[in-house]
Amino acid sequence: MSLLNQRLQLDKNYRWEWVTTDQYDANNAEHQRVRFNLEKGNGLPETVSWHEVIASLKRCGFEVIEYFDGCEQGELPWWNSVNAGWGLRGFSRTWFGIRFTGALLWTLEKLGIVSQGMYEAQNNLQCGADMLVLGGKMGIYSPMFFFLARKPSTAETS
């Protein structure tokens, strides 16, 4: 790779962000509950709207080249893979799978086979997954907002 290509690569910033959508209403208590528990269960900091992500990039001097919500792509709803199902992949998200995993972790924790806090961590993760699916069904959340931005060189800005 040439030095010019390396330099061009360093000037670009691309990322997938977790964001709220235009349907999110900050004054709606149910939207707030879903967002809070989604963030908690997925170990996220406070998330913002996609508009705020773009505005922040511009405030930092980035030129936004492209952005889109990847959740709006595809034939199946994006949250479908996190939703419960009786296949090998979705079993852990079924009522029985959640109860089985919880009981197993609780027992192993009490026996000292797994670390203390594993049962609570599993509950938090399950809550995060539930809220992710609910946020997707409600249309208020996207974990797949993509942007490509670049920082103009000093020669371009002068």
Side-chain angles (χ1 to χ4, degrees):
M1 181 182 283
S2 72
L3 286 176
L4 176 59
N5 283 340
Q6 289 177 3
R7 173 79 174 113
L8 289 172
Q9 295 298 318
L10 293 174
D11 288 346
K12 291 200 172 84
N13 182 2
Y14 65 93
R15 189 158 304 142
W16 293 93
E17 287 286 340
W18 294 50
V19 297
T20 57
T21 68
D22 292 338
Q23 285 76 39
Y24 178 79
D25 178 2
N27 297 316
N28 182 315
E30 179 67 2
H31 288 193
Q32 291 173 2
R33 182 185 74 81
V34 169
R35 178 178 155 200
F36 174 80
N37 287 307
L38 187 152
E39 291 166 348
K40 179 183 175 189
N42 287 283
L44 298 172
E46 184 177 340
T47 53
V48 297
S49 75
W50 69 269
H51 297 282
E52 291 175 69
V53 171
I54 297 300
S56 293
L57 287 166
K58 290 179 179 178
R59 272 194 311 274
C60 292
F62 282 93
E63 171 193 346
V64 179
I65 299 168
E66 179 181 6
Y67 63 90
F68 60 88
D69 185 352
C71 292
E72 295 173 357
Q73 319 280 315
E75 297 175 17
L76 294 174
W78 63 266
W79 43 263
N80 202 48
S81 64
V82 185
N83 207 9
W86 284 102
L88 190 57
R89 195 172 194 194
F91 172 73
S92 66
R93 298 282 304 128
T94 63
W95 179 88
F96 181 77
I98 291 168
R99 298 301 179 275
F100 175 78
T101 304
L104 179 64
L105 282 173
W106 184 85
T107 302
L108 293 174
E109 194 174 294
K110 294 301 177 198
L111 294 173
I113 296 171
V114 299
S115 301
Q116 287 293 322
M118 293 295 289
Y119 174 73
E120 183 180 353
Q122 187 261 352
N123 284 336
N124 284 335
L125 290 169
Q126 288 294 348
C127 180
D130 290 343
M131 294 301 112
L132 190 58
V133 170
L134 185 56
K137 287 180 177 180
M138 294 169 74
I140 64 171
Y141 211 84
S142 170
M144 297 189 294
F145 179 73
F146 174 83
F147 68 81
L148 172 63
R150 74 179 189 99
K151 193 84 162 183
S153 69
T154 53
E156 289 180 54
T157 57
S158 46

